[in-house]
Amino acid sequence: MDKLLIQRSGPLNGCVRVSGAKNATLPILAGCLLVPDSVRIANVPHLNDVTTTVSLLGRMGAKITIDEHMVVEIDTRNLTSLVAPYELVKTMRASVLVFGPLLARFGCAEVSLPGGCAIGARPLNIHIEGMRALGADVQVEDGYIKASAPNGLVGADITMSTVTVTGTENIMMAAALAKGTTRLFNSACEPEVEDLANFLNQCGAKISGAGTSTITIEGVDVDDLHGTSYSAIPDRIEAGTYLVAGAITRGKVTVRDANPPSMLNILDKLREAGAEISIEGDSITLDMKGKRPKAVDIVTAPYPDFPTDMQAQFMALNTVAEGKGTIVETVFENRFMHANEMMRMGADIKLEANTAVSKGKELLKGAPVMATDLRASASLVLAALVAEGETMVDRIYHIDRGYECIEEKLRQLGASIQRVSG
Ligand code: EPU
């Protein structure tokens, strides 16, 4: 199993390119299942989660080609299976995104339940209730969600009880081919939901309001959908992670090909931490002017509030910042596993229910640590940059699910980091 070996580094200095957004690309790839034609998707990040999605679509009989620039071409005209099997869903929950498209286009879908998850229970009740509201018969048996709608789905008004990103995406995709109009209330407003809607509209769907809490979908006929070329938006979480790498090491880091308007909350917190932030087109530069960061208070919540996917990285920042910072996690009930690993590196963190209070130290101490989920592993890499001596981060397969070439990009900024096999 690969590990990352990291020495105290910094101040980081330089520029990295932001990759395409994982959480936009995965639903867009699933959305290709709605379109009986060939679709080209560009700015696809080279990540394990993308490979898993491509394997899943391939297993269903989609014809897929990927060129050297990670432009993915998908043709789902001749599918042979409408099943998402356990072995793929258990490695990546986002596989559940094929549920809505399969059901809408073929009137039938079988998707494995994903099982446990390191960051919370993450049930799929809202996905299931949404498909039922559109007229599908949905049963959960043998560990699978089995759904059918032999006469097609029918539009409805649906109010989701919790804001859910993939739930909104799944129901929106299903409604794209339902008869009549669907209104989705309490929708997730994340930029990735909007990107999926933009992609589907470019294929001929009729979706309005994506990016707000009410999405209206006028169902179209499957033959109204056609192929297109589309480019995924930049990854705001990857961009934010490299900016925190700059802040934590008191450096100066530019991320280019980013989407600054989607990162306002993250950038505000970095300013509060003492960073000078300048934006020029799609480039963002963070400059700490050599200063130690100040601790920040954070409450995570759905977009446009502070993203849960940046919580762990800011916790790393708080461990070496001046003062005391409080982080409240409201989206997932068990997303503090990185805190215990940071404590093994000498961090002063008190955990109580969904609140973590850190008192910043000048430096952490290197130690062997273990990644427990994707963003937790990124936060441990950040912590390692400001830890005396050497830190070995184990189980980095988590990081490869969501960060393209992280060690190369960090090395480009001057970090001392290498991948160790075995
Ligand atoms: N929830 C329910 N019932 C449902 C669905 C969700 O109770 O049917 C609850 C969840 O348990 C959670 C809350 O709703 O407490 C929000 O979860 P959400 O459904 O929004 O999460 P998700 O769609 O499974 C996506 C991202 C996550 C990101 C969250 C929150 C993708 C592929 N994944 O997950 O990304 O943390 O939204 O923003 O888009 C990551 O990239 O590291 C990652 C975990």
Side-chain angles (χ1 to χ4, degrees):
M1 221 183 290
D2 286 3
K3 300 179 173 70
L4 285 174
L5 181 64
I6 302 156
Q7 267 100 24
R8 182 180 166 201
S9 312
L12 296 195
N13 202 322
C15 177
V16 286
R17 178 185 178 270
V18 179
S19 301
K22 168 179 86 75
N23 291 347
T25 305
L26 302 180
I28 289 172
L29 292 174
C32 292
L33 289 168
L34 286 168
V35 187
D37 203 350
S38 178
V39 177
R40 279 165 62 88
I41 313 295
N43 205 26
V44 172
H46 194 189
L47 302 171
N48 284 356
D49 275 7
V50 169
T51 312
T52 305
T53 307
V54 166
S55 307
L56 177 59
L57 298 178
R59 189 83 75 87
M60 290 173 175
K63 260 175 51 194
I64 302 166
T65 52
I66 305 179
D67 75 11
E68 69 276 21
H69 304 294
M70 283 300 286
V71 174
V72 180
E73 195 159 343
I74 300 181
D75 185 337
T76 64
R77 268 174 285 205
N78 297 306
L79 290 197
T80 50
S81 159
L82 305 177
V83 179
Y86 179 60
E87 71 214 71
L88 291 175
V89 181
K90 76 172 183 203
T91 61
M92 190 193 68
R93 299 181 62 82
S95 306
V96 76
L97 285 163
V98 301
F99 181 29
L102 287 179
L103 182 61
R105 181 167 155 207
F106 302 99
C108 184
E110 267 190 42
V111 178
S112 169
L113 285 168
C117 172
I119 62 179
R122 303 181 81 182
L124 295 174
N125 58 311
I126 298 169
H127 301 238
I128 293 172
E129 284 156 19
M131 301 308 159
R132 284 191 181 133
L134 295 173
D137 175 47
V138 188
Q139 307 295 332
V140 176
E141 52 188 31
D142 311 325
Y144 276 75
I145 307 170
K146 298 182 181 174
S148 68
N151 301 316
L153 298 171
V154 180
D157 277 358
I158 300 172
T159 303
M160 288 168 283
S161 53
T162 304
V163 177
T164 156
V165 175
T166 51
T168 303
E169 292 165 344
N170 231 340
I171 304 169
M172 182 171 85
M173 288 191 278
L177 292 183
K179 290 184 198 82
T181 303
T182 298
R183 285 187 303 168
L184 280 183
F185 300 108
N186 201 26
S187 292
C189 304
E190 268 67 2
E192 293 76 17
V193 175
E194 197 178 345
D195 203 38
L196 172 64
N198 290 342
F199 160 69
L200 294 173
N201 284 341
Q202 213 172 289
C203 296
K206 292 192 174 148
I207 302 170
S208 56
T212 74
S213 61
T214 303
I215 302 179
T216 304
I217 305 126
E218 309 250 3
V220 298
D221 198 76
V222 66
D223 297 325
D224 295 334
L225 296 186
H226 49 76
T228 194
S229 288
Y230 193 81
S231 185
I233 53 168
D235 197 310
R236 62 198 165 99
I237 305 301
E238 189 204 22
T241 303
Y242 289 112
L243 292 177
V244 174
I248 202 170
T249 61
R250 310 181 188 193
K252 181 175 178 187
V253 166
T254 299
V255 290
R256 64 178 177 85
D257 294 349
N259 181 20
S262 69
M263 297 180 60
L264 299 182
N265 236 294
I266 300 169
L267 299 179
D268 280 350
K269 282 294 159 194
L270 288 167
R271 284 191 191 98
E272 224 178 288
E276 204 178 281
I277 301 283
S278 47
I279 299 173
E280 229 174 277
D282 58 11
S283 288
I284 306 170
T285 299
L286 168 142
D287 191 351
M288 290 303 286
K289 308 252 176 202
K291 285 179 305 188
R292 182 181 180 191
K294 295 190 203 85
V296 289
D297 295 333
I298 282 170
V299 180
T300 67
Y303 193 84
D305 287 333
F306 191 89
T308 173
D309 289 345
M310 281 301 300
Q311 177 257 107
Q313 300 88 319
F314 272 82
M315 191 181 293
L317 184 81
N318 276 351
T319 63
V320 291
E322 202 183 306
K324 192 168 91 174
T326 302
I327 295 184
V328 183
E329 170 61 56
T330 75
V331 179
F332 292 111
E333 64 273 21
N334 186 30
R335 211 176 192 181
F336 279 154
M337 307 272 272
H338 43 279
N340 293 306
E341 296 301 296
M342 288 176 195
M343 287 184 226
R344 299 187 55 253
M345 299 171 74
D348 180 348
I349 306 173
K350 300 268 175 303
L351 292 179
E352 206 185 307
N354 66 342
T355 302
V357 181
S358 325
K359 272 198 218 133
K361 294 192 160 175
E362 275 285 337
L363 279 180
L364 300 178
K365 277 205 162 61
V369 288
M370 193 125 83
T372 46
D373 74 74
L374 169 55
R375 307 303 168 187
S377 44
S379 74
L380 295 176
V381 170
L382 296 176
L385 295 173
V386 286
E388 271 176 302
E390 209 168 76
T391 299
M392 183 77 93
V393 184
D394 202 350
R395 299 209 180 159
I396 55 153
Y397 54 83
H398 291 293
I399 222 167
D400 294 330
R401 294 184 45 201
Y403 289 88
E404 189 174 55
C405 310
I406 190 166
E407 69 270 30
E408 282 158 39
K409 288 189 180 183
L410 281 173
R411 265 204 303 272
Q412 214 170 305
L413 297 173
S416 170
I417 174 168
Q418 53 183 305
R419 187 174 288 253
V420 184
S421 305

